[in-house]
Amino acid sequence: MFVKAMMNVIVLLAYRLLPHIEHDAVLSQRLLPNKEAVSFYYTQPELNSDSEFVPDSTTMAAQFLTDWISSQKLKGPSMKDASIFYRNLEEAIDVKRRDHVRLTLRTNIWRGGNEAIDFISNDLLSLGVSGQLRTEMMKELDEHQDLAPGSGSTRLVDGNYEYIEMVEQEIANFHGAEAGIILGSGFNANVAIFTALPRPGDVIVFDELVHASSHDGMAQSEAIDRCSFRHNDAGSLEEVLSAVCDSHPLIKQGKRCVLIAVESVYSFDGDVCPLTELLEVAKEACPLGNVQFVVDEAHATGVIGPKGAGLVCELGLEKDIAVRLHTFGKALASSGAIILGNSTVKAALINFARCILFSTSLGPFPVAAIRSAYKSMMNGKTKTAQRSLQRLVKHFFSLIAENMTWQHAMRNGVIDVPLLRGWEQRPFVTPIVPIFTRPQYATWMVFHLTFSQISAVPVDVPTVRKGQSRVRLTFHAHNTEAHVEKLVTTIAEWAQEMMDLESRTSTGQGIPKAARQVYAWMGDKKAEPVEVC
């Protein structure tokens, strides 16, 4: 049963919400009427040693809850005689344990043949789950039987090899760039860009919603200043560039540069950068040609542009963008990333990016996976998947636009889908669609989706700003129209329940059935979870 596989996720989400519940006395009383019964010392379920044990959903969840609760127990106080090194680490982790938010690694629940419908992973083209990439990679390795699994060293010592240089150039050619260099991850690639390319006296201007890895790289850069502009707002960019020119004379004189960092598709909003408009603004604000763009194409690679080449290629701006980043761990179901630019950009990265200088280069086997994914794109083998993504997202938008419950819920502020507005006028849609909702509601919506065998994730502070809670949906080529229709119906059911509760309660906030079930189960280990679906 799907509930068996999902109860660990439900309990994890419930415990993520518990600190907020405990800080609100009224809400706490309503959520957990038997709060004193929520013991932090659940016992293991008794097993019958005479027969094979097949856990039911209650036992599996109890097992998970036991493990989870154990992971949240404070360890620092019991380590008085331990090494100060380990005690300090555990005391630092205790800060998270006190709020029941200590992170642990959990196996995903939508793979492995269970009934979960995947609206959570980044395997957008379904190259991974379908086995298509594995098949293509095996062919690639058969054709290059001399490839070793690893590279053996850094690129500058003995880890540079003909195969990786060939693949880098093939990818650069595909995206209309002069050169490229492959790194182990998109995170490292962003850090490399912003630590190596801005020179002393330069200024970085960035969209306020760029990736965390960009912020980490910018924090280590040699740029004299860093300034953000409002998300996707050309007017805000113009104001910031004007202020930068006024406060930095060398920028105004064209003797130092401005690097503008944006993303083609934003990871938690799913909207597209107005790149052409931003380019025009930048050229007017800095007419001496000392402004350059860095475009992170992580969420566009494989799904936008000709054959999946990205937004820059879709807009025909290859010659206008100095630096591009494409990642392989999302739609391409591989790992690693490539930074594209001209030969000068590549030389600067090799000489100044410490994560290139001092990291072992990506080995031939993962590079073979990357090449296999790109071969699929170049040969048109991903066209059907790319079209399916467009069709499924548009089907989702058309359904919710016609659904009266959705419309009523959006008017009442229970949910909001910013990407729905004007979707029919856009040349393309993206596979990332956030459903905005009230604080705490995102987790409750996911409870409801979970019991309906739909895998999704709530996103809240600190990942997004306070008051910007949402459920992030990602669509995939392996999803079906039936999956999308079930998703729309299930969220509509939850939204109707929330509207009914809001209209009946004096505080305007009630607890939906799925959430009540989870909290009741947490409060009484003997309670039997009931399938809501």
Side-chain angles (χ1 to χ4, degrees):
M1 297 298 292
F2 175 77
V3 173
K4 296 178 183 178
M6 292 293 285
M7 279 307 295
N8 60 343
V9 177
I10 291 176
V11 176
L12 172 59
L13 293 174
Y15 266 81
R16 286 177 58 184
L17 192 56
L18 264 179
H20 305 290
I21 297 169
E22 292 171 348
H23 295 159
D24 187 327
V26 175
L27 183 59
S28 175
Q29 190 174 16
R30 293 168 60 208
L31 273 179
L32 299 175
N34 298 317
K35 186 181 174 188
E36 66 278 0
V38 182
S39 167
F40 281 80
Y41 299 97
Y42 280 102
T43 56
Q44 296 283 349
E46 293 184 5
L47 306 183
N48 183 349
S49 59
D50 297 329
S51 61
E52 182 181 359
F53 175 64
V54 180
D56 61 17
S57 57
T58 305
T59 305
M60 288 186 69
Q63 177 65 57
F64 173 79
L65 184 53
T66 301
D67 295 341
W68 173 252
I69 289 169
S70 176
S71 74
Q72 304 305 317
K73 289 182 65 176
L74 301 183
K75 284 194 174 182
S78 65
M79 298 184 67
K80 293 180 181 179
D81 297 327
S83 161
I84 188 64
F85 171 74
Y86 297 110
R87 189 165 78 242
N88 286 345
L89 290 176
E90 291 293 355
E91 287 176 351
I93 301 171
D94 278 350
V95 174
K96 287 180 170 286
R97 291 186 179 112
R98 286 190 184 92
D99 285 334
H100 306 144
V101 293
R102 184 222 164 180
L103 302 177
T104 57
L105 297 179
R106 298 291 165 186
T107 305
N108 70 59
I109 48 76
W110 59 270
R111 296 189 190 189
N114 63 53
E115 300 93 339
I117 300 173
D118 176 19
F119 284 104
I120 192 172
S121 80
N122 283 324
D123 189 13
L124 305 174
L125 296 176
S126 303
L127 293 178
V129 71
S130 68
Q132 179 181 341
L133 181 61
R134 178 183 176 83
T135 300
E136 297 296 328
M137 180 183 173
M138 292 300 103
K139 291 179 183 177
E140 180 72 11
L141 291 175
D142 280 343
E143 293 172 6
H144 298 83
Q145 295 188 15
D146 58 332
L147 292 179
S151 65
S153 187
T154 67
R155 294 291 291 269
L156 295 176
V157 179
D158 194 41
N160 195 40
Y161 48 98
E162 289 183 6
Y163 186 75
I164 194 171
E165 289 189 325
M166 175 186 70
V167 174
E168 287 172 338
Q169 194 57 54
E170 287 177 349
I171 295 173
N173 293 342
F174 176 72
H175 291 287
E178 181 181 333
I181 185 164
I182 289 176
L183 291 86
S185 71
F187 195 105
N188 278 348
N190 262 329
V191 171
I193 288 169
F194 292 106
T195 55
L197 301 184
R199 296 292 83 208
D202 288 350
V203 173
I204 302 172
V205 174
F206 59 95
D207 187 293
E208 61 185 346
L209 297 188
V210 295
H211 279 123
S213 53
S214 298
H215 286 279
D216 279 21
M218 289 187 286
Q220 302 173 53
S221 79
E222 296 189 29
I224 194 172
D225 201 1
R226 304 190 303 274
C227 309
S228 67
F229 64 94
R230 289 189 301 274
H231 176 55
N232 274 357
D233 190 326
S236 177
L237 174 61
E238 185 177 14
E239 293 172 3
V240 170
L241 289 176
S242 177
V244 166
C245 289
D246 289 343
S247 57
H248 298 282
L250 293 180
I251 297 288
K252 193 168 188 176
Q253 296 167 21
K255 296 179 180 179
R256 292 293 182 270
C257 295
V258 177
L259 275 73
I260 300 177
V262 297
E263 296 177 13
S264 50
V265 177
Y266 286 85
S267 57
F268 289 106
D269 290 72
D271 52 356
V272 177
C273 175
L275 189 56
T276 302
E277 186 179 1
L278 298 185
L279 272 166
E280 292 172 356
V281 166
K283 288 176 181 178
E284 289 181 10
C286 301
L288 298 179
N290 57 327
V291 59
Q292 297 290 349
F293 275 75
V294 176
V295 181
D296 185 338
E297 298 248 40
H299 296 281
T301 307
V303 297
I304 290 176
K307 295 185 177 180
L311 180 66
V312 172
C313 292
E314 171 70 13
L315 300 175
L317 298 174
E318 294 92 333
K319 295 181 179 180
D320 296 286
I321 304 301
V323 184
R324 281 177 277 168
L325 165 63
H326 287 272
T327 62
F328 313 133
K330 296 178 174 64
L332 303 191
S334 306
S335 60
I338 190 167
I339 302 170
L340 300 176
N342 62 17
S343 59
T344 299
V345 168
K346 183 170 182 176
L349 290 165
I350 291 170
N351 281 273
F352 304 132
R354 293 171 65 84
C355 54
I356 295 176
L357 288 167
F358 302 113
S359 291
T360 298
S361 64
L362 207 59
F365 278 20
V367 174
I370 294 165
R371 189 180 193 220
S372 300
Y374 266 91
K375 275 186 174 181
S376 293
M377 288 198 294
M378 294 173 186
N379 297 334
K381 292 183 179 180
T382 59
K383 269 190 176 180
T384 300
Q386 289 156 358
R387 289 171 182 160
S388 292
L389 283 177
Q390 293 294 307
R391 175 177 51 82
L392 290 169
V393 176
K394 290 177 181 178
H395 185 50
F396 176 75
F397 285 151
S398 64
L399 288 174
I400 64 177
E402 298 169 357
N403 188 293
M404 296 305 296
T405 303
W406 274 78
Q407 296 304 311
H408 189 37
M410 286 189 278
R411 285 195 298 269
N412 282 271
V414 173
I415 54 177
D416 187 28
V417 188
L419 292 179
L420 179 64
R421 294 185 274 278
W423 71 272
E424 291 177 301
Q425 284 71 52
R426 297 188 199 117
F428 56 85
V429 292
T430 72
I432 300 171
V433 180
I435 310 298
F436 286 72
T437 187
R438 306 195 203 281
Q440 298 178 345
Y441 278 27
T443 300
W444 293 345
M445 189 195 303
V446 170
F447 287 165
H448 191 91
L449 291 170
T450 296
F451 282 120
S452 296
Q453 306 184 18
I454 295 171
S455 182
V457 63
V459 183
D460 215 323
V461 289
T463 305
V464 294
R465 294 192 191 96
K466 187 176 181 180
Q468 295 288 305
S469 302
R470 68 199 71 176
V471 173
R472 180 182 187 262
L473 302 173
T474 53
F475 291 76
H476 314 85
H478 67 269
N479 290 134
T480 65
E481 290 191 357
H483 290 163
V484 174
E485 289 157 11
K486 180 174 182 177
L487 175 69
V488 170
T489 301
T490 304
I491 296 179
E493 291 170 351
W494 172 86
Q496 184 62 60
E497 183 182 9
M498 294 310 304
M499 288 188 289
D500 292 343
L501 288 169
E502 288 184 348
S503 66
R504 291 200 303 261
T505 58
S506 59
T507 61
Q509 186 180 55
I511 310 305
K513 181 179 178 182
R516 289 200 311 273
Q517 175 179 328
V518 172
Y519 297 131
W521 184 83
M522 290 172 61
D524 181 1
K525 66 177 180 178
K526 296 180 181 179
E528 293 286 337
V530 194
E531 291 195 36
V532 178
C533 56

